[in-house]
Amino acid sequence: MHGFIIQSRRVLSEAKYYPRWSQLARRCFSQVAHKTELDKNNVISVPKLPPFDYSPTPYTGPSAADILSKRKEYLSPSMFYFYDKRPVNMVDGRMQYLFDEDGRRYLDAFGGIATVSCGHCHPDVVDAIVNQTKRLQHSTILYLNSAIADFAEALANKLPGNLKVVFFTNSGTEANELAMMIARLYTGCHDIISLRNAYHGNAAGTMGATAQSNWKFNVIQSGVHHAVNPDPYRGVFGSEGEKYAKDVQDLIQFGTSGNIAGFISEAIQGVGGIIELAPGYLPAVYSTIKKAGGLCIADEVQAGFARTGSHFWGFENQGVVPDIVTMAKGIGNGIPLGAVVTTPEIAEVLTRRSYFNTFGGNPVCTAAGLAVLKVIEKEKLQENAHVVGSHLKERLTTLKDKYDLIGDVRGRGLMLGVELVTDHKLKTPAKLETLHIMDKLKEIGVLVGKGGFYGNVFRITPPLCFTKEDADFLVDAMDYTMAKM
């Protein structure tokens, strides 16, 4: 109990910099303390990282303090970082692990925001990048090169139906911008429907489709309507997807001319806090969109490339086939790469004018993308995501039964979310506790992400080579940290 009191004082002291949190801190930590006292006889030892046969070369570069100083002077003040008190300087990575400037190893359960699919510095991907770079780093798509054609063919073969025309971009934001423009050109309509709590990017069009005030500047964002989010945990209809879908019909009837350009959604909202759309939602909505003349866009930037385990693409979990699919992040295992895939008929609209992207389809990037697809298949990473992800979710659910602080465990495969609340009935976001646990996990050697509109959801999106031992270590570390509170 003595350790808890010291920690409470520290958090309350920090809360003075955030006045609106101070009252929350006193109330929340007193609730947690009560449960800790009841469990104080339970002794849990500090978990140990699973063994791993790799030692990084000693680091001799600038220190974390030096880098932070340069960031503050030369980089945009909008660039934030985790662990304000002691930010980490990551200098090396292998598979599911990262190493800091002191050579300390961390289990990466965030995967560079669901980006590292095969594993850090996977040798097959590295070899593809290095070999292509040695031969030809960049020319232009105005000349022929096999790298872009081979990858486009392999990627198209991973998609259902007639989705087989590929446009390469540099990021998910660019991919979603292009997809929305294609939908507007093809239909001749401007209105697009997105979901509340969605995140689709931070450019002009995608910021309009994004529906969280945290990520939206006060600039013109026209032509997007945001439907009620089919959130099984916080939503008004629970897991009844078809009831949420009725709101899309209402938006079309009362907010548009009756015809729309399209509908865009993630199958599992990533930035929004790993929200898996209520069952039956997408089939009902896709039917409504088609009747209004619109196209259905699946944003697979985070849920794609085998991450959900049960399927290669997130939208497949709801049994739908979109008209346009956008992707990035896991597509290149960390290489700047994105893509839009659609049908030949829809793709024709871009021939009305010249559409060009200087680096989209770059030989190095597409060589990396093809290597990623081969690794996912060769190492059966989709199956691993399913098996390990199911095990991890089961263990996290058991932890939820043990601690009142955990309000919800959700997601699929290796795209999981753990939402922390101080009151199960009111679902009051546990913001301070989330920051506290996140910091303590880092001290033990676990790196997790944080998201959700209220910043109270742990985002667990590790490399797909994550093992059951890694999963157990993550949960044991979380268990240890919560017990110490």
Side-chain angles (χ1 to χ4, degrees):
M1 192 64 182
H2 176 67
F4 169 78
I5 293 172
I6 293 174
Q7 183 58 36
S8 297
R9 286 173 180 165
R10 183 183 73 80
V11 174
L12 288 170
S13 175
E14 292 176 8
K16 70 183 179 182
Y17 299 107
Y18 307 94
R20 68 184 186 278
W21 288 0
S22 60
Q23 184 178 0
L24 174 67
R26 291 185 175 88
R27 184 178 74 251
C28 295
F29 275 90
S30 65
Q31 291 174 348
V32 176
H34 177 68
K35 178 150 191 173
T36 302
E37 188 171 6
L38 292 176
D39 295 344
K40 65 183 178 181
N41 293 324
N42 292 343
V43 178
I44 303 175
S45 59
V46 181
K48 302 296 181 184
L49 274 164
F52 188 66
D53 187 20
Y54 174 77
S55 296
T57 302
Y59 176 69
T60 58
S63 68
D66 291 337
I67 296 170
L68 186 58
S69 177
K70 284 187 178 181
R71 278 181 66 135
K72 289 180 177 178
E73 184 172 0
Y74 297 110
L75 294 176
S76 168
S78 68
M79 291 179 61
F80 60 91
Y81 47 87
F82 284 160
Y83 316 113
D84 286 349
K85 299 297 180 183
R86 294 183 62 188
V88 287
N89 177 21
M90 292 303 175
V91 301
D92 209 320
R94 284 299 181 277
M95 303 312 286
Q96 65 270 46
Y97 295 103
L98 287 169
F99 299 82
D100 68 14
E101 61 186 7
D102 299 317
R104 184 181 179 188
R105 179 163 57 105
Y106 298 84
L107 178 65
D108 182 9
F110 197 24
I113 316 179
T115 295
V116 182
S117 48
C118 301
H120 292 283
C121 300
H122 191 288
D124 290 8
V125 180
V126 170
D127 285 347
I129 293 169
V130 171
N131 292 338
Q132 180 60 55
T133 302
K134 285 180 177 179
R135 188 172 183 87
L136 179 67
Q137 183 177 348
H138 180 74
S139 55
T140 167
I141 58 169
L142 299 176
Y143 307 134
L144 300 184
N145 186 274
S146 64
I148 184 173
D150 290 345
F151 182 41
E153 179 185 28
L155 194 57
N157 286 334
K158 282 290 186 182
L159 286 147
N162 206 26
L163 292 164
K164 59 184 181 183
V165 177
V166 184
F167 299 89
F168 288 113
T169 66
N170 306 292
S171 69
T173 290
E174 280 190 352
N176 284 331
E177 285 278 330
L178 177 58
M180 291 168 65
M181 183 177 76
I182 289 173
R184 284 166 167 158
L185 290 173
Y186 183 79
T187 62
C189 296
H190 186 66
D191 290 299
I192 284 177
I193 295 176
S194 177
L195 294 177
R196 294 178 189 174
N197 199 55
Y199 180 88
H200 296 291
N202 54 13
T206 50
M207 189 177 290
T210 292
Q212 294 186 48
S213 59
N214 302 334
W215 302 98
K216 292 168 76 74
F217 286 95
N218 186 24
V219 296
I220 294 174
Q221 300 164 41
S222 66
V224 180
H225 309 264
H226 297 104
V228 171
N229 196 37
D231 180 350
Y233 180 60
R234 290 183 176 272
V236 292
F237 299 122
S239 296
E240 299 183 70
E242 292 186 6
K243 288 187 177 180
Y244 293 103
K246 176 66 168 58
D247 187 55
V248 173
Q249 180 64 55
D250 290 343
L251 282 177
I252 294 171
Q253 290 179 333
F254 300 108
T256 76
S257 65
N259 293 104
I260 62 171
F263 169 81
I264 183 169
S265 76
E266 308 156 89
I268 300 179
Q269 294 174 337
V271 174
I274 316 297
I275 306 294
E276 189 171 9
L277 306 187
Y281 179 76
L282 286 183
V285 167
Y286 274 30
S287 175
T288 296
I289 297 300
K290 292 294 186 183
K291 290 175 183 175
L295 299 182
C296 299
I297 304 169
D299 179 340
E300 290 288 317
V301 171
Q302 294 196 36
F305 293 89
R307 180 159 293 282
T308 63
S310 54
H311 297 84
F312 197 84
W313 305 106
F315 64 79
E316 292 178 303
N317 290 296
Q318 293 229 358
V320 295
V321 177
D323 300 295
I324 304 174
V325 181
T326 63
M327 57 197 74
K329 293 190 181 293
I331 190 175
N333 203 52
I335 283 286
L337 180 63
V340 176
V341 186
T342 188
T343 67
E345 179 187 3
I346 295 171
E348 279 293 319
V349 299
L350 289 184
T351 64
R352 297 175 188 172
R353 296 291 188 274
S354 294
Y355 172 75
F356 188 77
N357 188 312
T358 299
F359 295 106
N362 170 276
V364 176
C365 293
T366 48
L370 181 57
V372 166
L373 285 182
K374 289 179 177 178
V375 169
I376 290 174
E377 184 173 349
K378 181 178 75 172
E379 299 184 1
K380 297 184 166 120
L381 294 184
Q382 181 178 333
E383 180 182 342
N384 189 68
H386 176 66
V387 172
V388 176
S390 298
H391 172 73
L392 177 55
K393 187 175 182 180
E394 183 178 337
R395 285 220 55 198
L396 288 169
T397 301
T398 300
L399 208 62
K400 174 180 176 291
D401 296 335
K402 184 175 180 181
Y403 295 103
D404 289 340
L405 189 60
I406 301 178
D408 193 32
V409 173
R410 54 183 178 253
R412 188 181 289 255
L414 287 175
M415 189 171 183
L416 301 175
V418 179
E419 180 160 356
L420 304 187
V421 296
T422 58
D423 186 300
H424 272 239
K425 185 177 180 180
L426 298 176
K427 298 175 183 174
T428 309
K431 300 177 184 179
L432 285 174
E433 289 82 354
T434 302
L435 289 171
H436 169 76
I437 294 171
M438 190 174 178
D439 193 59
K440 291 301 179 183
L441 288 175
K442 188 255 292 185
E443 292 179 11
I444 296 172
V446 178
L447 305 175
V448 295
K450 178 175 69 69
F453 180 76
Y454 303 104
N456 67 318
V457 181
F458 288 125
R459 294 167 64 187
I460 302 173
T461 55
L464 304 186
C465 55
F466 219 60
T467 67
K468 282 188 176 181
E469 290 74 22
D470 296 323
D472 287 334
F473 172 66
L474 187 160
V475 178
D476 290 345
M478 194 173 288
D479 189 5
Y480 174 83
T481 301
M482 290 186 173
K484 295 289 282 185
M485 291 171 66

